[in-house]
Amino acid sequence: MRFLRFGTPGSEKPALIDTDGTLRDLSGEIADLSGAMLDPMKLTELAKLDTNLLPAVSGNPRLGPPVAGTGKFICIGLNYSDHAAETGAIVPPEPIIFMKATSAICGPNDAVHIPRGSTKTDWEVELGVVIGRTAKYVTEAEAPGYVAGYCTVHDVSERAFQIEHEGQWTKGKSADTFGPIGPWLVTPDDVPNPQNLPMWLTVNGKKMQDGSTNTMIYSVAFLVSYLSRFMSLQPGDIISTGTPPGVGMGMSPPRYLAPGDKVELEVEGLGRQQQTITQD
């Protein structure tokens, strides 16, 4: 099942897409796609609703992030063997973890703003994992049961802030609009193998990234289990699992985003994003 949220920023309503591709308003059934409603059992109950009785949403409303109330936006660095190779980095012996500010989260088609002082704003298409119930010290075998679903994530990154300004990567990852999420939260029953999902990203129609989650070093199940050793994972938390090769930083010469650029990206089965780049 594909769940989403639509409406103006801060006032989005929950919805689902029925088997005919019609957007159906869920706000008469639930307050939002957040907290306890992200429990896999709750989402299964919602999927059983008679969608013909839900109001159809007309037109092409703005889509917001498909989940609300995200407390942690956790990212995994250098988690694709081919991306690590393009950056000249060694394969990390354990996952590299950094945080992205939740204030970076925006809708999948909202404009991305280059922050003031930026000279190296870059792109990264990623598989996002949304946690559905509290996970603490879970095993790798148990981990899939804690996943509400999957989504496309654009991990926009300012490389000068990230690498040249010392300290943690977070400062280069957290500008407002640097975390487009969605368009959909796709439940695990429609993603039979998260480790075999093609993904791509284009800038102004030119393909920059063309990869697959099958080159991930650390799998979704491993990451959920691993992270739950160090912090409890709560409903609505998002894990962005890394990017395949083709980022601007890895090109010769490097190529970065500029105002007016058009970016499109997709993880197969999880929906497409498109953004216009503007200057903050």
Side-chain angles (χ1 to χ4, degrees), residues 183-255:
W184 312 316
L185 171 69
V186 182
T187 51
D189 55 301
D190 282 336
V191 187
N193 184 6
Q195 302 310 143
N196 190 32
L197 298 175
M199 50 178 31
W200 56 265
L201 180 146
T202 66
V203 179
N204 300 328
K206 181 179 179 180
K207 187 162 284 186
M208 300 298 188
Q209 292 186 274
D210 189 8
S212 171
T213 57
N214 63 24
T215 66
M216 283 172 61
I217 299 165
Y218 298 107
S219 70
V220 168
F222 179 89
L223 290 171
V224 171
S225 174
Y226 181 84
L227 290 168
S228 77
R229 291 165 47 192
F230 303 104
M231 65 192 85
S232 63
L233 301 175
Q234 305 293 331
D237 285 353
I238 298 169
I239 306 169
S240 199
T241 57
T243 197
V247 299
M249 179 177 63
M251 296 181 176
S252 183
R255 196 279 199 212

Side-chain angles (χ1 to χ4, degrees), residues 42 44 58 72 104 115 118-119 128 137 164 198 216 219 253 263 279:
K42 293 288 187 181
T44 298
S58 60
K72 294 190 288 297
S118 167
T119 58
Y137 304 126
E164 300 168 22
M216 283 172 61
S219 70
V263 180
Q279 183 68 55

Side-chain angles (χ1 to χ4, degrees), residues 13-197:
K13 294 181 178 180
L16 57 75
I17 299 176
D18 68 18
T19 55
D20 295 324
T22 302
L23 189 66
R24 299 283 182 172
D25 189 339
L26 275 173
S27 60
E29 304 292 330
I30 60 172
D32 210 342
L33 287 164
S34 63
M37 288 312 308
L38 293 172
D39 186 289
M41 293 183 65
K42 293 288 187 181
L43 294 179
T44 298
E45 291 175 9
L46 289 175
K48 294 178 181 177
L49 291 172
D50 184 348
T51 56
N52 291 319
L53 301 179
L54 299 173
V57 179
S58 60
N60 294 294
R62 171 193 173 268
L63 300 183
V67 296
T70 295
K72 294 190 288 297
F73 195 168
I74 308 165
C75 298
I76 309 299
L78 300 174
N79 192 34
Y80 282 67
S81 55
D82 38 9
H83 173 55
E86 80 169 337
T87 64
I90 62 171
V91 172
E94 291 192 37
I96 295 172
I97 302 169
F98 61 93
M99 296 298 220
K100 200 175 182 84
T102 55
S103 54
I105 295 174
C106 64
N109 304 318
D110 292 345
V112 168
H113 304 298
I114 295 176
R116 296 178 186 178
S118 167
T119 58
K120 299 179 179 180
T121 295
D122 205 348
W123 56 81
E124 295 188 18
V125 58
E126 305 203 1
L127 168 66
V129 180
V130 178
I131 298 300
R133 58 193 183 98
T134 301
K136 188 173 183 179
Y137 304 126
V138 302
T139 66
E140 193 170 344
E142 294 168 333
Y146 292 82
V147 173
Y150 302 94
C151 59
T152 300
V153 173
H154 189 182
D155 177 20
V156 187
S157 307
E158 211 301 332
R159 302 303 188 186
F161 296 177
Q162 175 188 354
I163 298 168
E164 300 168 22
H165 286 235
E166 306 300 335
Q168 299 294 320
W169 289 3
T170 301
K171 67 169 72 73
K173 299 282 189 170
S174 295
D176 292 353
T177 74
F178 268 27
I181 307 293
W184 312 316
L185 171 69
V186 182
T187 51
D189 55 301
D190 282 336
V191 187
N193 184 6
Q195 302 310 143
N196 190 32
L197 298 175

